[in-house]
Amino acid sequence: RIMLKYDYSGKSLLSTFENRRYSFNFYGQNKFNSYINLKYRFGGIYLNGTVPYQELAYFPTNIKTEPENLSFVVTDYNEYLGDKLFFLNLENNFGRILWGNIPYIKSLDLIGFFNAGKSDISSTNKSSLSNYPYETSTTDGIFMEAGFSIDKILEIGRINFGWRLNKFKQGKNFFVVFSFGL
């Protein structure tokens, strides 16, 4: 599936900013056998014009179970901002390869994932952010993380274990997220 989106924010009485947001998201899934069930997502966001801080693009950090949604596990909310954002997610469901015969846990799925992304900001938008008290940064290259998940906990939950592969931060290189999806 592919999703294309265009948003326009014109000047009005309530806003002095005018910008356009172009985004695309391509996602799919291929199942080759019971241990190779690959999901892939890649996409990007491009903003032009003057963009306020709260409208800048960032890597999503809330875990959702719908196939078109992408979530980074280790990054902080709004850690990398920009008016150009590109991302890639690869996820393989290995099924019950490790514990298929163990009672009580044989219904759980093991999932491996890899996320990568790049953010950049134009000099115009970067200079307009100097008025905000918030620290802003771009990826300065490509940010990468990897990990694994245990899915179908009570048939509605998922626990994700993620590690930064680069762009290390003191005390924030590993993160665990539990999410529900119905």
Side-chain angles (χ1 to χ4, degrees):
R1 296 182 188 183
I2 189 165
M3 180 186 68
L4 302 169
K5 193 172 179 182
Y6 169 76
D7 294 315
Y8 173 69
S9 171
K11 289 184 180 181
S12 68
L13 290 173
L14 301 175
S15 175
T16 60
F17 297 100
E18 183 177 17
N19 58 69
R20 289 167 181 79
R21 180 184 193 105
Y22 306 90
S23 60
F24 76 95
N25 192 349
F26 178 79
Y27 53 96
Q29 182 172 355
N30 293 92
K31 184 173 184 174
F32 298 102
N33 60 37
S34 59
Y35 301 118
I36 301 176
N37 186 1
L38 185 65
K39 286 184 186 177
Y40 44 90
R41 303 168 190 95
F42 63 89
I45 298 170
Y46 173 72
L47 296 151
N48 72 350
T50 308
V51 183
Y53 175 84
Q54 64 271 21
E55 294 295 324
L56 287 171
Y58 60 91
F59 300 121
T61 56
N62 53 337
I63 303 294
K64 296 180 183 175
T65 57
E66 295 88 20
E68 66 273 7
N69 289 313
L70 161 77
S71 294
F72 281 70
V73 175
V74 184
T75 58
D76 290 331
Y77 178 71
N78 279 0
E79 181 175 345
Y80 298 114
L81 296 171
D83 51 20
K84 294 177 229 34
L85 185 82
F86 301 97
F87 57 82
L88 165 75
N89 167 257
L90 299 173
E91 182 176 290
N92 187 58
N93 187 339
F94 294 100
R96 296 154 180 97
I97 193 169
L98 295 179
W99 46 70
N101 296 324
I102 301 173
Y104 303 111
I105 64 170
K106 65 182 179 182
S107 65
L108 303 177
D109 284 343
L110 175 65
I111 297 172
F113 65 86
F114 171 78
N115 293 327
K118 178 173 178 40
S119 68
D120 198 12
I121 191 164
S122 66
S123 57
T124 305
N125 284 319
K126 188 170 184 123
S127 65
S128 71
L129 293 177
S130 62
N131 299 333
Y132 289 92
Y134 312 109
E135 182 180 328
T136 60
S137 67
T138 60
T139 56
D140 190 32
I142 297 175
F143 171 78
M144 294 182 288
E145 67 179 21
F148 69 93
S149 304
I150 299 173
D151 197 13
K152 296 188 181 171
I153 299 172
L154 300 175
E155 294 298 322
I156 59 169
R158 176 175 168 163
I159 190 164
N160 298 281
F161 302 88
W163 291 267
R164 287 178 186 262
L165 299 178
N166 62 353
K167 314 287 184 208
F168 299 108
K169 288 175 73 174
Q170 183 70 28
K172 296 198 175 195
N173 295 317
F174 171 74
F175 204 70
V176 178
V177 177
F178 187 80
S179 60
F180 288 101
L182 297 174

